[in-house]
Amino acid sequence: MALQVSLDKFKKQQEMCQKTLSSIKASSNSTPRVTPYNPANAKSAAPVVKFSSDIERLQQINTIRCSSAAAQTKRVIDLLKETRQALTAEQINGACYVDVKANKDVFDRLSNNLKVYYDGTRFVYKPKHDLKDKTQLLKLIQNFPDGIAIADLQDAYPSVDHDLKALKAAGKIWLLSNFEFS
């Protein structure tokens, strides 16, 4: 008897589902139909990125990862000097494809490098003289009456060459050699 009741319930559910499907079909006749995607019909679709389009980038990553630890370290230091930002290992990997976490030799070279400060999570470029602007630059130069090497100043901040030219033009400093600014 319980089996008959369950069978009747199942038949009623089937009838309700059939009615729902019929009403959906009836309403879909009046609305526009959605057709499956066909690449031949797609005229304004975004271009499909193929693996072969990415070969150059993958080859570059492979070349970098197969290079020596010294070359990879230099690449990271150049990135840090250029950006002047504190970057995590993940950010470095994303920017220049050097995996600092996976390569212990590169990590050790960076964390022990005099030009790099590592606080435990981030790497940042550390110039020889911590200067931010022309005023600080002039004060530093005045502290060295016998002179200071331009090379020691050039990594202080990105526009230091411009500020040195401006200070020379204003007559506040003079250069011992005919050094050409880059």
Side-chain angles (χ1 to χ4, degrees), residues 39-50:
N41 295 338
K43 295 177 184 172
S44 64
V48 177
V49 177
K50 296 182 180 177

Side-chain angles (χ1 to χ4, degrees), residues 142-166:
Q142 290 170 345
N143 288 338
F144 288 89
D146 293 333
I148 186 168
I150 292 175
D152 290 345
L153 300 174
Q154 284 185 313
D155 74 340
Y157 57 95
S159 63
V160 73
D161 284 343
H162 175 73
D163 289 345
L164 284 169
K165 285 180 189 178

